[in-house]
Amino acid sequence: MHYPGTSDRFPAQERLAAGAQFIAGRLTRGTSGRTHTVVDPATGEDVYTYELAGTDDVDAAVAAARAAFMGWAATTPGERSDAMHRFAAVLADRADEFARAESLQCGKPLKLTREFDVPGTIDNTAFFAGAARHLQGQSAGEYSGDHTSYIRREPIGVVGSIAPWNYPLQMAAWKVLPAIAAGNTIVLKPAEITPLTSLLFAEAATEAGIPDGVINIVTGTGKEAGEHLVGHPDVAMTSFTGSTAVGKRVAEIATATVKRIHLELGGKAPFVVFDDADLEAAVNGAVAGALINTGQDCTAATRAYVQRPLYDVFVERTAALMDTVRLGDPFQSTTDLGPLISHVQRDRVAGFVDRARAYARVVIGGEAPQGDLKNGAFYRPTLIADASQGSEIVQSEIFGPVLVVLPFDSDDDGIRLANDTPYGLAASAWSRDVYRANRATREIKAGCVWVNDHIPIISEMPHGGYKASGFGKDMSTYSFEEYTQIKHVMYDNTAVPRKDWHRTIFGDR
């Protein structure tokens, strides 16, 4: 198979020749003294080589954000809203550029970036443009009798955020948009292996007229740039999306400087199929929910629990549908599934599957394709059956195109098994019985529970988890709880110099 050169797909090296740091409204080079190369995971070819950020770059970005904060925080909600509506329009005009860059650095099929990643980001930007006008506190009231109280909702300051590599554009948006809509400024560190669309996103914001310093990007390693950003004394809040293990480290650093923390961490989403479910819908939902973004999604369906009367036929039909999924060049319209993000990640996924062969049955997949795809980080869609609940393949986050299916007997068993991991980010329940489905939505401990579907997200609704999946919310107006400070203001209404309560401190009544 012949793939076009990287310049035909997206001219990254030329487009971002000035560097991979975006500080105070312009692209600059990193000062760490080390370089990094973005690699196309579909071909193994180099895409973009740049200088990594060092601690000095983080300091400069934080300083730029701090300098811009007072002016941006002082803008009216309407002014911020107008700027963000212009931002959404710029993104829409450049949609294909963003889609191609995202596909190139991640290996996502172009149909996914064009129909999911980019439209979702534009919609999210438009949503927060509107939401910027609705940052109210509670209405004023005389709660003590002698005073009027009201609530101010104020921006926190400089936000330091870290985004993952699986959805670089959408995660940049999820971090940046609520922060700036609320009047904060931000320094975002994208994953060093996928910085392209985060840089384009910040550049588009400047094109839309958002002031220099409001959005800054530092592209460096987590150990150097990330930890310095999280621990920076001038950063008032940290938002992190990534693994639970790294999230614990972020929390340790952030709490040392007593800053607010928002963590969106790992997931191991259950997919619970009751015996009255629409089997065809469940099979289609399982394959789509397990394989989206090549399974590199913390809400992906990874554990299918199927009530025993449907178990065998579910396994059979799911395997048959998985077998129709087409791997190939992400830039071809006929490609359904792209590669994993890297050969390292592919080998990690393969290790989980290979170890599972000792205790479970690999129904389909379980291998990297050869031939034309051998140079890419591809892995075939994989279905595993007959594993035990306590096994690694069931309990650990794999982050690849792997679905494990287990049977259950009673409804109690299905819900118990669904809850039996450290995670609680997302889940789905499949049933025609409204009471059964409603019970599942109440009792499954996850931040999102879909009924008869799996994966759809919308800007108006929050995203965030329970348990080891973290705390706090992305998207929706609920995210403003992370990015605003609540202030109580209290006015005396009596004009009396000597208050009755003063006698508790001096004098008599």
Side-chain angles (χ1 to χ4, degrees):
M1 180 181 296
H2 172 69
Y3 291 169
T6 56
S7 61
D8 297 324
R9 292 159 171 256
F10 176 78
Q13 198 66 47
E14 297 87 350
R15 184 74 177 79
L16 301 172
Q21 319 305 322
F22 191 87
I23 300 172
R26 66 187 184 95
L27 290 167
T28 63
R29 299 182 185 279
T31 62
S32 69
R34 292 175 291 112
T35 61
H36 185 83
T37 298
V38 177
V39 175
D40 178 353
T43 64
E45 296 177 353
D46 293 351
V47 169
Y48 176 57
T49 299
Y50 66 92
E51 296 83 0
L52 287 161
T55 56
D56 289 347
D57 302 302
V58 174
D59 290 342
V62 172
R66 189 179 182 189
F69 173 66
M70 291 302 293
W72 182 246
T75 58
T76 67
E79 289 169 334
R80 292 199 295 274
S81 176
D82 288 346
M84 294 181 71
H85 276 300
R86 294 194 301 270
F87 188 12
V90 171
L91 294 173
D93 287 343
R94 294 173 56 181
D96 193 62
E97 177 188 15
F98 277 89
R100 296 178 75 82
E102 194 80 334
S103 289
L104 182 64
Q105 68 180 350
C106 299
K108 297 170 184 273
L110 194 58
K111 68 178 183 179
L112 179 65
T113 59
R114 281 177 169 164
E115 298 177 29
F116 184 80
D117 297 67
V118 174
T121 300
I122 295 169
D123 181 75
N124 212 230
T125 307
F127 169 80
F128 277 106
R133 291 180 176 266
H134 299 282
L135 276 165
Q136 300 97 340
Q138 288 182 323
S139 300
E142 287 68 49
Y143 298 98
S144 77
D146 291 338
H147 305 83
T148 295
S149 289
Y150 71 87
I151 296 296
R152 289 181 57 86
R153 187 181 289 274
E154 299 179 345
I156 295 172
V158 177
V159 177
S161 292
I162 299 176
W165 49 257
N166 58 331
Y167 289 102
L169 176 60
Q170 286 194 310
M171 295 298 100
W174 287 16
K175 300 302 183 194
V176 168
L177 296 173
I180 68 170
N184 301 286
T185 56
I186 188 168
V187 178
L188 172 74
K189 192 200 88 64
E192 63 269 27
I193 61 175
T194 54
L196 304 184
T197 46
S198 296
L199 294 165
L200 296 177
F201 189 70
E203 188 184 57
T206 297
E207 184 180 337
I210 292 175
D212 294 350
V214 172
I215 301 171
N216 305 274
I217 309 293
V218 288
T219 311
T221 65
K223 193 68 177 174
E224 184 173 4
E227 292 197 1
H228 191 64
L229 177 61
V230 172
H232 201 290
D234 291 334
V235 168
M237 178 212 166
T238 289
S239 178
F240 170 81
T241 296
S243 71
T244 298
V246 178
K248 291 178 181 178
R249 175 62 179 158
V250 168
E252 288 174 2
I253 297 170
T255 52
T257 52
V258 198
K259 54 172 58 79
R260 188 179 296 195
I261 312 170
H262 163 223
L263 300 175
E264 199 268 84
L265 307 177
K268 190 70 177 175
F271 185 101
V272 184
V273 182
F274 295 98
D275 58 13
D276 67 332
D278 181 327
L279 182 61
E280 182 180 3
V283 167
N284 280 275
V287 173
L291 300 185
I292 186 170
N293 202 31
T294 318
Q296 298 167 127
D297 186 313
C298 49
T299 65
T302 57
R303 299 179 289 140
Y305 296 103
V306 182
Q307 206 150 22
R308 204 169 293 277
L310 295 183
Y311 178 75
D312 289 336
V313 67
F314 179 91
V315 170
E316 178 185 350
R317 292 192 186 180
T318 300
L321 184 55
M322 273 191 174
D323 197 38
T324 69
V325 173
R326 300 164 296 181
L327 281 68
D329 178 359
F331 283 74
Q332 294 298 315
S333 61
T334 53
T335 294
D336 299 319
L337 196 71
L340 289 149
I341 191 65
S342 67
H343 288 81
V344 171
Q345 181 65 13
R346 184 198 64 187
D347 293 346
R348 180 180 180 273
V349 171
F352 276 105
V353 175
D354 290 343
R355 290 190 295 274
R357 296 180 195 277
Y359 56 79
R361 175 168 55 102
V362 177
V363 181
I364 192 172
E367 62 184 4
Q370 297 302 308
D372 292 339
L373 302 180
K374 66 180 181 180
N375 292 329
F378 291 90
Y379 196 78
R380 293 195 185 282
T382 301
L383 183 67
I384 294 176
D386 305 335
S388 66
Q389 176 65 14
S391 61
E392 178 191 53
I393 204 77
V394 173
Q395 293 292 324
S396 297
E397 187 173 32
I398 299 168
F399 233 53
V402 179
L403 175 64
V404 58
V405 188
L406 296 85
F408 70 92
D409 293 307
S410 68
D411 289 16
D412 289 347
D413 288 337
I415 292 172
R416 177 183 60 80
L417 292 168
N419 287 328
D420 184 27
T421 71
Y423 301 107
L425 187 58
S428 62
W430 298 74
S431 174
R432 290 184 173 97
D433 185 327
V434 65
Y435 299 103
R436 214 175 198 182
N438 197 32
R439 179 193 175 189
T441 64
R442 289 195 312 271
E443 297 185 13
I444 293 176
K445 304 304 180 187
C448 174
V449 181
W450 294 284
V451 176
N452 295 327
D453 207 345
H454 195 106
I455 285 296
I457 54 174
I458 50 175
S459 297
E460 291 82 359
M461 289 292 115
H463 176 84
Y466 285 34
K467 302 188 292 184
S469 291
F471 48 83
K473 299 298 180 185
D474 287 308
M475 297 202 301
S476 82
T477 55
Y478 288 99
S479 66
F480 286 138
E481 301 301 323
E482 318 303 328
Y483 294 98
T484 56
Q485 185 70 265
I486 300 301
K487 178 185 287 183
H488 170 217
V489 178
M490 196 174 201
Y491 281 88
D492 169 57
N493 293 330
T494 66
V496 175
R498 177 78 180 266
K499 305 294 190 290
D500 186 58
W501 71 268
H502 291 177
R503 66 187 173 82
T504 63
I505 311 303
F506 59 88
D508 300 318
R509 185 186 293 273

